[in-house]
C-alpha cells in the first residue's frame, strides 16, 4: 500500500497563477484533510471532507477550494495564488472522525513569487 | 477556544540521555490529546494519543506521555534517546468547537552523538 501520496512535491508559482494539488489514498478512508504548515505555527486545517462528494471549511479556508469527486482523491485548488500562500501543504486521511489516527502524505512545498 | 502551547522551540540532547518535551493545553473538559512526529522531509506520524482512562499512555518507538489535568499538561517522554529520534514533535488537541485538531507550534529535537 502506498498510503497517502501527494502530487507534485515542489512547485513555484507567480502571483495570480492557479494550480491544483492532488492527494490520493489507498486505505479506503472516509475522512480526508488539507493542512498548511508554516514555521512556528504547527499545522492549520484548510478544508476537510467526511466522504465522497462532501467538503467543509477548516481554520484557514480563504483563497482555497477543494473537491472530493472520488473517495480516494482530495484536490486542493488555488485560483489566484498569493505570496501569503507560500507554505508546505500536507494531505491526511483517517478512517473515522478527527480523533482517529490521521495518516499524512509527504507534503508539497509551494512557493509563490 | 482550545489551544496548545509547546514552550520549547528547539531542544538538544545527547544520545542515550532522557527526553521530556513539554505540551500545555487549554480546554474546559477532558481533552483528546495527541503527539505526532515529523521526520525531515516526511509527513507526520502518530506517536500516541490520550482520550480517557490511565493517564500514562504508551506509544510507538518507546515514547510515553502523561496527562496531568491539574497542570493542563501532556508531556512526552523517552528514557533513552536514539539518533533516529531527531525530528520535529507536535502536540495536538481535538477542537470540538471547530471540528479539527489544533496543533502546537512544534519542538525540534536534535540529538548529539
Amino acid at each position: 500500500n502506498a498510503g497517502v501520496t501527494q502530487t507534485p512535491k515542489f512547485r513555484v508559482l507567480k502571483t495570480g497563477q492557479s494550480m491544483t494539488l492532488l492527494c490520493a489514498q489507498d486505505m479506503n478512508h472516509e475522512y480526508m484533510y488539507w493542512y498548511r504548515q508554516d514555521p512556528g505555527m504547527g499545522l492549520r486545517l484548510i478544508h476537510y471532507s467526511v466522504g465522497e462528494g462532501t467538503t467543509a471549511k477548516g481554520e484557514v479556508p480563504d483563497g482555497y477550494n477543494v473537491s472530493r469527486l472520488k473517495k480516494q482523491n482530495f484536490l486542493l485548488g488555488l485560483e489566484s495564488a498569493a505570496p501569503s500562500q507560500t507554505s508546505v501543504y500536507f494531505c491526511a486521511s483517517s478512517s473515522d472522525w478527527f480523533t482517529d489516527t490521521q495518516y499524512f502524505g509527504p507534503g508539497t512545498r509551494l512557493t509563490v513569487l | 477556544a482550545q489551544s496548545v502551547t509547546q514552550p520549547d522551540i528547539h531542544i538538544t540532547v545527547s544520545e542515550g540521555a532522557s527526553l521530556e518535551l513539554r505540551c500545555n493545553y487549554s480546554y474546559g473538559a477532558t481533552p483528546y490529546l495527541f503527539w505526532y512526529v515529523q521526520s525531515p522531509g516526511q509527513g507526520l506520524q502518530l506517536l500516541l494519543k490520550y482520550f480517557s482512562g490511565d493517564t500514562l499512555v504508551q506509544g510507538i518507538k518507546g515514547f510515553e506521555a502523561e496527562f496531568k489535568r491539574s497542570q493542563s499538561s501532556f508531556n512526552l517522554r523517552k528514557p533513552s534517546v536514539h539518533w533516529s529520534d531527531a525530528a520535529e514533535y507536535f502536540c495536538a488537541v481535538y477542537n470540538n468547537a471547530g471540528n479539527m485538531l489544533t496543533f502546537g507550534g512544534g519542538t525540534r529535537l536534535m540529538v548529539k552523538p
Side-chain angles (χ1 to χ4, degrees):
Chain A
N1 286 351
V4 180
T5 58
Q6 293 183 230
T7 308
K9 289 185 170 51
F10 303 93
R11 186 72 185 270
V12 178
L13 290 178
K14 294 181 179 178
T15 298
Q17 288 185 317
S18 63
M19 77 164 294
T20 300
L21 280 68
L22 172 62
C23 175
Q25 53 96 2
D26 62 1
M27 296 174 282
N28 201 35
H29 284 171
E30 290 293 337
Y31 295 80
M32 296 188 74
Y33 317 85
W34 275 107
Y35 292 92
R36 60 176 290 171
Q37 182 181 33
D38 302 293
M41 301 185 72
L43 276 73
R44 292 179 292 168
L45 184 66
I46 304 171
H47 286 281
Y48 65 96
S49 168
V50 301
E52 183 178 317
T54 72
T55 63
K57 294 181 180 179
E59 183 183 1
V60 289
D62 294 342
Y64 305 95
N65 57 74
V66 288
S67 65
R68 183 112 180 256
L69 299 179
K70 293 183 179 180
K71 186 177 183 178
Q72 63 268 34
N73 295 339
F74 195 30
L75 279 62
L76 177 71
L78 287 72
E79 289 187 348
S80 179
S84 60
Q85 295 177 303
T86 293
S87 186
V88 180
Y89 292 84
F90 287 98
C91 177
S93 70
S94 64
S95 61
D96 205 336
W97 195 237
F98 286 82
T99 50
D100 196 19
T101 301
Q102 293 188 23
Y103 294 85
F104 284 79
T108 295
R109 184 173 294 276
L110 175 66
T111 302
V112 183
L113 302 175
Chain B
Q2 290 90 333
S3 66
V4 177
T5 302
Q6 293 179 247
D8 304 305
I9 297 174
H10 292 99
I11 284 185
T12 299
V13 299
S14 297
E15 191 168 17
S18 63
L19 171 70
E20 182 167 23
L21 302 182
R22 295 185 291 164
C23 173
N24 295 101
Y25 66 89
S26 70
Y27 187 65
T30 300
Y32 292 171
L33 294 160
F34 307 79
W35 274 102
Y36 278 85
V37 60
Q38 183 181 28
S39 298
Q42 310 266 334
L44 279 69
Q45 181 185 21
L46 180 69
L47 284 175
L48 48 80
K49 57 186 174 183
Y50 172 78
F51 288 176
S52 65
D54 193 345
T55 56
L56 186 62
V57 181
Q58 301 297 320
I60 63 171
K61 304 185 180 188
F63 285 92
E64 66 178 26
E66 186 170 12
F67 171 62
K68 292 186 177 180
R69 182 189 301 276
S70 61
Q71 299 177 18
S72 296
S73 69
F74 188 56
N75 294 350
L76 183 70
R77 302 193 295 244
K78 187 169 185 178
S80 178
V81 170
H82 188 262
W83 65 265
S84 60
D85 293 324
E88 189 154 20
Y89 292 80
F90 292 94
C91 183
V93 63
Y94 173 59
N95 181 338
N96 64 355
N99 279 337
M100 64 183 74
L101 292 188
T102 296
F103 286 84
T107 298
R108 185 169 296 278
L109 173 67
M110 291 181 281
V111 181
K112 293 190 299 185

